[in-house]
Amino acid sequence: MIATDIYRLLGDDGFDLIADIVMNAATESDVRSAVLDAVCEELSRLGVAEECVIGIDRVEGWAVSQWRRHHALAA
């Protein structure tokens, strides 16, 4: 299979799910593990192997930065 960008696979619904994780996670570690689990679950549902996807780490990094921003604003 040709490598596919994660952003194309997840689409808007996938990023809505990640936004929910960001808003509800208690710690940065929670964000990392929940996002990775959610992305892997979605890839499995789509029938795409993780090793064929480019950018999973970027999604995790984006989610963590959003979590940090959310908590900085809430403080």
Side-chain angles (χ1 to χ4, degrees):
M1 176 180 239
I2 297 172
T4 304
D5 190 284
I6 189 69
Y7 294 104
R8 287 186 186 166
L9 288 174
L10 290 180
D12 290 339
D13 291 339
F15 279 92
D16 287 345
L17 172 64
I18 292 170
D20 288 342
I21 291 169
V22 167
M23 297 299 287
N24 294 305
T27 67
E28 189 175 308
S29 179
D30 291 345
V31 173
R32 291 182 187 282
S33 62
V35 166
L36 188 57
D37 288 348
V39 168
C40 291
E41 185 176 311
E42 183 65 11
L43 293 178
S44 177
R45 187 185 71 74
L46 295 170
V48 177
E50 288 176 50
E51 58 271 9
C52 296
V53 179
I54 298 168
I56 292 175
D57 56 332
R58 291 187 313 216
V59 173
E60 183 182 357
W62 175 82
V64 168
S65 70
Q66 295 302 307
W67 181 85
R68 288 176 182 159
R69 182 175 304 152
H70 171 70
H71 282 275
L73 292 173

